[in-house]
């Protein structure tokens, strides 16, 4: 995604909505919305440090990063 920031700017993007990307239970997921940790990114997608870096780079490019916080659909984990 970071490599595509210049392209997003060419398109005039000011808002990037990524979903779902937080850790969800393995094998019994509803597409990632049964979040088991809002402090961990799905390992297949990266880490919280990488997400923070992406957010900084997007902000520097004038693009807001938006993530879903679906607190009424959490996992029992």
């Amino acid at each position: 995604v970071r490599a595509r920031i210049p392209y997003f700017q060419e398109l005039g993007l000011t808002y990037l909505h990524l979903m779902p990307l937080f850790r969800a239970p393995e094998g019994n997921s509803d597409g990632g919305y049964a979040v088991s940790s809002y402090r961990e990114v799905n390992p297949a997608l990266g880490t919280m440090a990488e997400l923070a870096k992406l957010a900084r780079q997007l902000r520097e490019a004038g693009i807001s990063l938006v993530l879903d916080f679906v607190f009424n659909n959490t996992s029992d984990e």
Side-chain angles (χ1 to χ4, degrees), residues 20 22-25 28-38 73-76:
F22 291 110
R23 182 180 285 278
N28 191 18
S29 174
D30 63 352
Y33 287 99
V35 174
S36 55
S37 175
Y38 287 103
N73 194 24
T74 57
S75 165
D76 63 358

Side-chain angles (χ1 to χ4, degrees), residues 8-47:
F8 295 157
Q9 288 178 299
E10 282 181 40
L11 293 175
L13 238 68
T14 58
Y15 178 95
L16 181 64
H17 186 180
L18 299 179
M19 58 187 225
L21 59 76
F22 291 110
R23 182 180 285 278
E26 292 182 35
N28 191 18
S29 174
D30 63 352
Y33 287 99
V35 174
S36 55
S37 175
Y38 287 103
R39 296 176 188 260
E40 296 176 78
V41 172
N42 176 338
L45 300 175
T47 65

Side-chain angles (χ1 to χ4, degrees), residues 29-76:
S29 174
D30 63 352
Y33 287 99
V35 174
S36 55
S37 175
Y38 287 103
R39 296 176 188 260
E40 296 176 78
V41 172
N42 176 338
L45 300 175
T47 65
M48 285 299 278
E50 290 170 324
L51 181 62
K53 183 176 180 178
L54 172 63
R56 279 191 306 275
Q57 290 176 321
L58 286 167
R59 192 174 319 114
E60 289 168 1
I63 301 170
S64 298
L65 177 62
V66 178
L67 306 175
D68 285 340
F69 183 74
V70 188
F71 59 88
N72 65 336
N73 194 24
T74 57
S75 165
D76 63 358

